[in-house]
Structures are given as structure tokens and as C-alpha cells.
Amino acid sequence: MNLHTHKLLIQTKKICAQRQVRLTPQRIEVLKLISKQYQKAVSAYDLLHLSRTSSLPHAKPSTIYRALNFLLKQGFIHRIESTNKFMLCQNFLELSHNFIFFICNHCKQVTEQAIKEIEIILQHKAKLTGFNIHNNIIESHGLCLQCTNKLIFSHPLYK
């Protein structure tokens, strides 16, 4: 286990103890599997496949989904709505935060960025109509810098 994963698990265990929620071995293993997918989102069935080589070799889909639901509820992971995949929350120490996902259509990298400025605009617009925002998810699809450069410089005009 690398240092990043080790620190993540220590923080997760501490938060679960403070919240008085149970962090089962299955939940820990699913969180570990997700954390190993650096800046990549992973589906529940990808996790099921990955679990075959982990400490959950006989996990059933229901085991994975229960773990995912717990991790989502506790704010340790995010669900990418447009692709129905999951990724580690980069700011899970903050109880509530707003963010945007930048999703590369080519390499599938997902980057989470805090969006305080957009949150202020959304709250202002909601207030004008009497709407209370409980949750917002903003996803932007496109190309990351590396993929953009690869595509541009592989074009015949640049050869």
C-alpha cells in the first residue's frame, strides 16, 4: 500500500469514528480500489472485476453497490453522472463543497476542481426564483491538455 492510500485510510477511519458509522472491510477495500484509479473514474462492474484480485475475490455486485452507496453518502467518493462511474473525492475532508468535473473524452482522465465562483452565481440565481439548492454536479466533457497536444501534433499539417 502506498503512502497516499495509507494516509487516505487513516483519515477515512478517523472520520467514520467521529460520525459513528461503520467502515467495514468491504467498504475499505472498495475505497482502496477506487483510490488506485488515479484521476480515472471506474464503474461498479470494473470494481467487481478489480475485486477478484483483491481481498474481495468472491464479492457480488450487491456488495460493491452497498459499499459505493456508503462511500457516496459519507462524501468519500463522487459519482460521475454522465458515465455512471465513481472516483475518489479530492476534498472529502470538507463536509460540503462544490466542484466541477473535467472529463477527457479521449483518455478518460477526470479532474475535480473546486468552483466557489460558480456556486455564488448558482445561489444568487436560485434565490431569485425562491429555489433551494441541495446538490449540484457540473460535468464538462472535452479533451485534456495532453490529448489536445497529441491530436494537434499528430495532424498531417504538423508533420
Side-chain angles (χ1 to χ4, degrees), residues 1-154:
M1 179 182 332
N2 67 34
L3 185 60
H4 172 71
T5 303
H6 182 70
K7 286 181 179 180
L8 170 75
L9 292 177
I10 289 171
Q11 286 291 54
T12 303
K13 289 176 182 179
K14 186 188 296 185
I15 290 169
C16 287
Q18 290 170 348
R19 295 177 184 169
Q20 298 180 344
V21 295
R22 195 162 160 249
L23 186 61
T24 64
Q26 294 87 356
R27 293 169 177 172
I28 290 171
E29 191 58 36
V30 170
L31 185 62
K32 281 183 194 177
L33 292 172
I34 293 171
S35 73
K36 290 178 184 177
Q37 307 301 311
Y38 180 72
Q39 288 192 327
K40 297 272 185 182
V42 61
S43 74
Y45 280 95
D46 291 338
L47 288 167
L48 184 63
H49 177 72
L50 291 168
S51 73
R52 302 290 184 233
T53 58
S54 73
S55 64
L56 296 174
H58 305 293
K60 297 185 177 5
S62 59
T63 304
I64 301 298
Y65 278 110
R66 280 195 302 272
L68 288 170
N69 286 334
F70 172 84
L71 296 170
L72 280 167
K73 186 176 180 182
Q74 296 304 317
F76 300 133
I77 63 172
H78 293 298
R79 179 173 177 261
I80 308 297
E81 300 287 332
S82 62
T83 60
N84 196 25
K85 292 185 177 186
F86 303 88
M87 69 175 289
L88 188 65
C89 175
Q90 301 301 313
N91 301 297
F92 73 84
L93 294 176
E94 297 177 35
L95 254 167
S96 176
H97 65 281
N98 293 289
F99 49 87
I100 185 169
F101 293 121
F102 294 105
I103 305 163
C104 180
N105 293 331
H106 190 258
C107 72
K108 308 303 180 205
Q109 175 181 311
V110 181
T111 305
E112 175 186 349
Q113 294 287 318
I115 55 164
K116 191 64 181 164
E117 301 84 8
I118 293 175
E119 174 63 18
I120 292 168
I121 293 168
L122 289 172
Q123 290 295 347
H124 174 71
K125 292 293 184 181
K127 186 177 178 180
L128 291 175
T129 61
F131 188 80
N132 285 318
I133 297 175
H134 295 282
N135 184 29
N136 65 64
I137 298 168
I138 301 174
E139 300 178 15
S140 293
H141 291 262
L143 293 174
C144 68
L145 181 61
Q146 291 82 5
C147 290
T148 300
N149 287 338
K150 282 180 192 173
L151 292 172
I152 288 172
F153 294 118
S154 67

